[in-house]
Every structure is written in structure tokens, then in C-alpha cells.
Amino acid sequence: MAIERTLSIVKPDAVGKRVIGKILSRFEDNDLQVVAAKLVHLSKVQAEQFYAVHSERPFYNDLVNFMISGPVMIQVIEGDNAITKNRDLMGATNPSEAAAGTIRADFASSIDENAVHGSDAAETAEQEIAFFFKPEEICEYTR
Ligand code: IDP
Ligand code: MG
């Protein structure tokens, strides 16, 4: 399997519940390494641009307003098969459908406030990482 990087966001609901550490532990416990991270309060423009792919969806305005309702923890995580592995650790978009033991099953309360974002494919991972991080902000580790 190839080493990949993906973008992960701990959303405002989970930051507010003070479970940043528990969520990042899920990645670390599953051989995904945090290679860049920052806590930020997104601007409305940033949230609109980040979720532009959903701009025609009925939930877009609610999603943007939720994402700017408090700080978010944004990280690049790296490891074997990181994109799919992160999606598997996250669980389904709707926490009521998320498998037991997934991040969303354990920490999310609704489809609107579902604890985490994760890139869904190689192309979006690359775009989303570049949206938030300059290349020099991503660390190289000797494994
Ligand atoms: P994902 O986060 O699992 O990749 P997407 O379909 O990409 O799910 O949707 C992005 C985000 O938009 C979701 O995480 C969720 O916060 C929100 N969202 C998606 N579908 C709905 C919906 O039907 N109602 C309300 N919010 C939604
Ligand atoms: Mg998505």
C-alpha cells in the first residue's frame, strides 16, 4: 500500500466537547501520523470556499455557518492508505448510520454536527491540503 496524505478537520462541535485529543488518538492508534496541524476559527469566505462543491445543496448555508461557529482543528495525516483509512475511522456521514467504534458514532450528535471532515479521494486530499497548508508547513518524519 502507498503512503498517502489526507486532510482531517475536527469540527466545531467536537472541539467544543473537548475531544480533539481523543480523535487525534484514533489516528495515532491506527498508524496515521499527524504531519501538520493548526487550530483556527475559519472565516465565512474560507468555509464557503472549502465547501464550494456543496454550494448547490440545501444544507450548504447551515454547513458554512456551523463550520464558523467555533474553532476547528485542521490536520494533515499521513500513512499507508491514509485516505480510505481515515474515512473508515470516521464512519458514515450520518452518525446514526456510523458503525460502532467509529469517530462519528462515538462523538457526533447529528448529520449537521458530525465531528470530523476527511478528504474522500486522492485528488480532493491534495486540493484540501493545499487549501490550508503551505508545503513548508508539512513535516517530514524519519519513519
Ligand atoms: P462527508 O463529510 O462524510 O464527506 P459530504 O457528503 O461530503 O459528507 O457532506 C459534507 C458535510 O455536509 C457533512 O459532513 C455534513 O456535515 C454536511 N451534510 C451532508 N449531508 C447533509 C444533509 O443531508 N443534511 C445536513 N448536513 C449534511
Ligand atoms: Mg465529503
Side-chain angles (χ1 to χ4, degrees):
M1 265 182 291
I3 298 281
E4 295 174 341
R5 287 176 175 170
T6 190
L7 188 86
S8 159
I9 304 178
V10 180
K11 293 184 177 182
D13 57 324
V15 174
K17 289 176 186 166
R18 300 193 293 272
V19 291
I20 294 173
K22 288 181 179 169
I23 290 175
L24 296 192
S25 288
R26 300 285 173 102
F27 304 141
E28 294 187 326
D29 290 346
N30 286 278
D31 295 322
L32 293 173
Q33 182 121 33
V34 176
V35 295
K38 58 185 166 190
L39 184 74
V40 281
H41 199 142
L42 297 178
S43 70
K44 187 158 195 185
V45 169
Q46 276 179 307
E48 285 171 347
Q49 288 175 348
F50 183 75
Y51 278 117
V53 65
H54 295 305
S55 61
E56 303 303 319
R57 308 285 287 277
F59 56 80
Y60 178 65
N61 283 335
D62 288 344
L63 174 61
V64 167
N65 285 325
F66 165 60
M67 289 300 288
I68 65 173
S69 65
V72 294
M73 184 80 192
I74 310 174
Q75 47 280 325
V76 179
I77 53 178
E78 182 183 273
D80 268 338
N81 203 24
I83 298 166
T84 300
K85 198 180 215 184
N86 179 43
R87 295 290 306 192
D88 289 347
L89 291 171
M90 289 165 59
T93 305
N94 188 342
S96 68
E97 295 166 7
T102 60
I103 293 168
R104 282 168 165 165
D106 289 345
F107 301 116
S109 45
S110 69
I111 193 168
D112 308 85
E113 305 202 354
N114 61 2
V116 279
H117 168 83
S119 309
D120 59 9
E123 193 183 7
T124 46
E126 193 176 337
Q127 289 165 359
E128 291 177 359
I129 290 168
F131 186 85
F132 285 117
F133 294 95
K134 299 177 192 149
E136 63 268 28
E137 291 174 324
I138 302 171
C139 297
E140 302 280 346
Y141 286 83
T142 308
R143 291 178 157 265

